Amino acid sequence: MALVMLGTLFLEKQKVAGRQSWPMLSFSDLVTALAHLLPRRPLTAEDLADIIAKRHRLRRQASDSHARRSMKALE
């Protein structure tokens, strides 16, 4: 939670600092700019496959958990 608050504070400070030049600057604009300006580690096909597999595994776990809770509610 603290990291989210720090990130939000950073974005708000940048928004205020850019108000003169960009009066309609939004958090979304800033996030888009940061995504393009900050360096990123290049992804290999294997990295991408691992990311997708992890997302699918987490999605499956959430779905299974929901199904178990639903079955317990019916008992």
Side-chain angles (χ1 to χ4, degrees):
M1 187 62 140
L3 290 177
V4 171
M5 292 172 64
L6 284 172
T8 302
L9 177 62
F10 170 78
L11 290 173
E12 185 61 37
K13 285 181 153 253
Q14 296 307 308
K15 189 174 165 184
V16 169
R19 189 172 289 153
Q20 291 293 336
S21 301
W22 301 86
M24 296 192 60
L25 190 64
S26 68
F27 278 16
S28 181
D29 296 333
L30 290 165
V31 169
T32 300
L34 288 172
H36 289 285
L37 296 173
L38 292 176
R40 285 191 241 179
R41 178 177 65 93
L43 290 178
T44 65
E46 185 177 318
D47 293 335
L48 185 56
D50 289 344
I51 291 168
I52 292 171
K54 181 180 178 183
R55 286 181 182 172
H56 288 190
R57 188 171 49 256
L58 292 173
R59 199 174 301 144
R60 172 57 58 203
Q61 288 173 351
S63 178
D64 291 347
S65 176
H66 175 72
R68 282 192 304 274
R69 283 194 316 269
S70 295
M71 291 302 289
K72 285 183 182 179
L74 295 176
E75 293 175 350

